[in-house]
Amino acid sequence: MQRVSRRTLLKGSLAMAAAFATHGCATIQSYKDLIGFRPVPLGAGRSKMPVISPDYEFHTLIPWGLPIAPDGPRFNYPPTAADQAVQVGIGHDGMTYFPISEDGLRGLLAINHEFGRNPHLLGVSAPTNLDQIRTSQHAHGVSVLEIEKSGTRWQRSGSRFNRRIHANTRVMFSGPVAGHALLENKVDNPFAGTLANCSNGRTPWGTYLTCEENFNLYFGATGSFEAGESQARYGLTERGAGYDWHRFDARFDLSNPDYRNEPNRFGWVVEIDPADPASLPVKRTALGRFKHEGAAVVTSGDGRIVTYMGDDQGFEFIYKFVSADPWQTMRDRGRSPLDEGILYVAHFAENGSGEWIPLTMSDPRLSARFADQAEILTYARIAGSIVGATPMDRPEWTSVAPDGWVYCTLTNNSRRQMPDAANPMAPNRNGHIIRWQDSDDHLGTSFQWNIFLIADDHYESDQGFGSPDGLWTDPDGRAFILTDGRQPQGIHNQLLIADTNTGKIARLLTGVPKCEITGVTTTPDRRTLFVNIQHPGYGDPRLTNFPAPTDGETVPRDCTLAIRRKDGGIVGS
Ligand code: FEO
Ligand code: CA
Ligand code: CA
């Protein structure tokens, strides 16, 4: 294994000390420990049920298959296509809580449904008819559910806002690629829907962003298909990835000329207004097409919004989008701040500086390759390579801390052979977290960066972990780290809290066999933390029956946890 151990890493620890100082701590002695809970010991992390710190408790809500309307069809395994269209989807991932009451204790939870493998979702390893494909399509997308707190527990409340958005829902496209030939098929289908909904974001005007990640997995070819450079870069292959939608639904058949551009209709950030169930989801093409992990939105001092985004694949890039004008002005004039602006891609220099490179036609390297801005955005990955963006170790979630530092998880990259300063491990088996601070209050094209942590440095410790994926930095300086991948001593995926001032790390929760821990959102009072258990046991009831009690038979279901400190304190503390 190779590792970069040059000044960059030293810079990282110096920057950590600097950050420590800027948090207003006069002396080390007066610093208040941000993490006060007793962590879950490493040895406890192999249970069939989640294990949480003794200072915390949790209960479950919103399992896969819950009827969206209180009197809707109950969960029956495996679900029918009709039932699944009006039930909570599978593959719970990123989510946001939108308060709708003054005390913040009644609200809408918007949840992404990223993926569901056939055996878990359908009860068979391969679908044999279109009806099963519809079930699978209806299990993807997004659920919105109204919930409220009663005593110390959460439950569903009204249903006026409840809705399901899935792979066959009517959607709109907006921004520079909308109406472009690259999105047109011979068969016009406004029910393009959304799928592979990974991480998420929240706009300052109260809408939800759901991000389409591994859309390529749902495509395959029944006949011959030549990917070409543009589609090969997005991983589209004749074979597909086992979902087999293409065998029964022509829309996902890459060899069907009627749907030639269907793959271009996925890989976008999609905006949903949770407060208006009649509104159409909108694919915001100005944010570029790639395997979007998430979208962390921040408002700069002048009112423009900046959205940070990772493209989760080995050697892909980190991007940001800056709106053309202050968001309130744009919205007042009937324009969307997500439709007009500049998409940038990140270059990390070895010396700890960095540059945001605009992906526009004014760059002669791009105008030589692409016909127009729409084409640049549709093939943003290729544009990023042309301008010399830095290939990263699978950029997953981004989060903007209150002090302006932007954190990004780089989950792992077993294929890396040559380390560089920003990706210092080769191969990178356990991942790291990078952070940067942009010039000009997030608007500038230069930044300073360092590495916040390298998972290998902690892997063998009692608070060890690998493959950081979900990430949220809270207003006090804690980083919530959620994992998806190999963990030390074979423990299940986990949620850890890191103090970004001191680097201290403590394990708050471990999941169930074969699950991913993902999705992180809190109530405004930060007394409740919602987290998701994704694909428990990969559907195998011999491994876990979560959230049902252990009986060895009940099929496990993706589910949300509502977590609280037993003393009612701030979550993470
Ligand atoms: Fe959907 Fe990159 O995790
Ligand atoms: Ca993820
Ligand atoms: Ca993941």
Side-chain angles (χ1 to χ4, degrees):
M1 186 173 69
Q2 296 182 64
R3 173 176 182 153
V4 171
S5 59
R6 60 190 78 182
R7 282 174 308 152
T8 306
L9 301 182
L10 177 64
K11 264 175 129 72
S13 42
L14 290 175
M16 197 174 279
F20 187 86
T22 58
H23 274 278
C25 314
T27 65
I28 298 285
Q29 286 75 17
S30 72
Y31 179 72
K32 185 176 175 303
D33 201 344
L34 290 177
I35 301 171
F37 64 86
R38 287 168 287 171
V40 176
L42 191 61
R46 282 185 292 267
S47 168
K48 288 192 172 193
M49 288 290 163
V51 177
I52 199 160
S53 156
D55 300 311
Y56 280 74
E57 61 190 6
F58 70 87
H59 66 274
T60 60
L61 71 164
I62 315 181
W64 165 42
L66 181 80
I68 286 288
D71 57 353
R74 308 280 124 185
F75 182 67
N76 249 317
Y77 184 77
T80 64
D83 284 1
Q84 183 61 81
V86 291
Q87 294 172 333
V88 168
I90 198 170
H92 293 32
D93 206 327
M95 62 182 162
T96 298
Y97 177 78
F98 296 90
I100 56 171
S101 67
E102 211 145 284
D103 64 4
L105 300 180
R106 192 160 62 86
L108 308 178
L109 199 56
I111 305 180
N112 285 353
H113 301 297
E114 185 187 26
F115 75 97
R117 290 190 182 174
N118 293 332
H120 189 187
L121 172 53
L122 302 175
V124 293
S125 57
T128 53
N129 57 59
L130 179 61
D131 213 49
Q132 286 173 318
I133 301 301
R134 293 285 183 244
T135 299
S136 183
Q137 292 172 343
H138 294 163
H140 288 69
V142 174
S143 295
V144 179
L145 272 124
E146 185 180 325
I147 57 172
E148 68 182 345
K149 194 175 183 191
S150 170
T152 58
R153 291 176 71 87
W154 288 82
Q155 59 191 32
R156 62 190 305 163
S157 48
S159 58
R160 188 160 69 88
F161 299 101
N162 292 9
R163 77 192 284 202
R164 271 310 314 284
I165 291 157
H166 52 66
N168 295 303
T169 299
R170 189 182 186 104
V171 298
M172 281 168 47
F173 288 84
S174 77
V177 196
H180 194 279
L182 280 168
L183 295 182
E184 274 174 19
N185 288 316
K186 220 177 263 170
V187 179
D188 181 39
N189 174 23
F191 296 88
T194 182
L195 50 80
N197 307 81
C198 187
S199 178
N200 61 303
R202 177 208 306 248
T203 66
W205 54 95
T207 60
Y208 184 65
L209 301 178
T210 182
C211 303
E212 297 177 335
E213 190 193 10
N214 293 307
F215 64 91
N216 61 311
L217 304 183
Y218 300 89
F219 288 85
T222 58
S224 69
F225 165 69
E226 281 286 333
E229 184 205 8
S230 308
Q231 300 300 27
R233 181 65 182 267
Y234 287 82
L236 290 151
T237 63
E238 205 169 299
R239 240 182 63 231
Y243 283 95
D244 280 357
W245 290 10
H246 64 282
R247 290 177 53 215
F248 302 98
D249 184 348
R251 192 153 74 95
F252 295 92
D253 182 354
L254 296 166
S255 55
N256 188 320
D258 291 351
Y259 291 101
R260 205 167 58 89
N261 285 324
E262 195 64 16
N264 292 343
R265 291 154 69 85
F266 296 96
W268 303 104
V269 172
V270 188
E271 185 178 18
I272 294 167
D273 184 355
D276 180 4
S279 62
L280 292 183
V282 185
K283 300 205 178 192
R284 298 292 182 190
T285 62
L287 277 61
R289 174 173 168 268
F290 41 92
K291 293 189 183 178
H292 279 280
E293 180 74 16
V297 186
V298 64
T299 306
S300 76
D302 79 348
R304 279 186 275 174
I305 55 151
V306 180
T307 305
Y308 295 96
M309 301 172 285
D311 180 353
D312 179 9
Q313 196 153 325
F315 307 109
E316 289 297 341
F317 311 134
I318 294 171
Y319 298 80
K320 80 169 175 179
F321 171 81
V322 181
S323 67
D325 292 307
W327 69 262
Q328 271 161 321
T329 319
M330 293 182 81
R331 284 180 57 83
D332 287 349
R333 294 182 184 153
R335 295 153 63 201
S336 169
L338 297 171
D339 280 348
E340 299 166 50
I342 295 178
L343 181 68
Y344 298 85
V345 70
H347 174 78
F348 293 81
E350 297 276 317
N351 66 1
S353 68
E355 183 193 358
W356 289 107
I357 308 167
L359 298 178
T360 65
M361 289 295 279
S362 50
D363 186 323
R365 295 170 295 178
L366 297 178
S367 54
R369 167 67 171 78
F370 297 106
D372 53 27
Q373 186 63 26
E375 202 179 345
I376 291 178
L377 294 167
T378 305
Y379 302 119
R381 284 183 163 186
I382 295 170
S385 290
I386 291 172
V387 301
T390 302
M392 307 296 288
D393 287 346
R394 294 188 53 199
E396 300 246 29
W397 292 46
T398 46
S399 183
V400 184
D403 59 8
W405 284 87
V406 186
Y407 290 72
C408 179
T409 44
L410 297 154
T411 199
N412 57 51
N413 187 356
S414 53
R415 290 188 298 128
R416 180 172 290 279
Q417 292 177 330
M418 283 295 293
D420 60 34
N423 302 275
M425 310 299 285
N428 187 357
R429 288 200 189 90
N430 295 311
H432 60 292
I433 300 179
I434 201 165
R435 62 181 176 183
W436 62 86
Q437 193 157 42
D438 285 357
S439 60
D440 198 13
D441 194 18
H442 299 284
L443 299 172
T445 55
S446 63
F447 60 89
Q448 294 294 319
W449 65 271
N450 61 62
I451 289 181
F452 171 54
L453 64 81
I454 292 175
D456 269 346
D457 292 344
H458 307 269
Y459 199 77
E460 300 300 335
S461 75
D462 185 62
Q463 300 304 305
F465 68 98
S467 298
D469 184 342
L471 180 70
W472 177 57
T473 48
D474 81 1
D476 299 331
R478 295 178 195 86
F480 289 56
I481 301 170
L482 298 83
T483 70
D484 177 21
R486 190 174 77 115
Q487 301 304 311
Q489 295 183 23
I491 69 166
H492 306 324
N493 275 303
Q494 43 179 330
L495 161 60
L496 308 104
I497 311 294
D499 182 332
T500 59
N501 303 317
T502 63
K504 176 182 173 179
I505 297 171
R507 180 179 300 109
L508 182 63
L509 174 86
T510 53
V512 303
K514 306 282 181 197
C515 83
E516 170 181 345
I517 305 283
T518 184
V520 51
T521 187
T522 69
T523 47
D525 65 7
R526 287 196 283 139
R527 263 55 185 186
T528 302
L529 166 71
F530 297 105
V531 165
N532 285 322
I533 302 281
Q534 192 191 68
H535 58 71
Y538 268 125
D540 185 342
R542 293 165 303 182
L543 298 178
T544 178
N545 310 105
F546 175 83
T550 301
D551 62 9
E553 290 175 12
T554 305
V555 171
R557 293 155 74 180
D558 295 70
C559 196
T560 303
L561 305 183
I563 293 172
R564 67 184 288 274
R565 253 194 89 105
K566 285 177 181 168
D567 66 4
I570 297 283
V571 291
S573 64

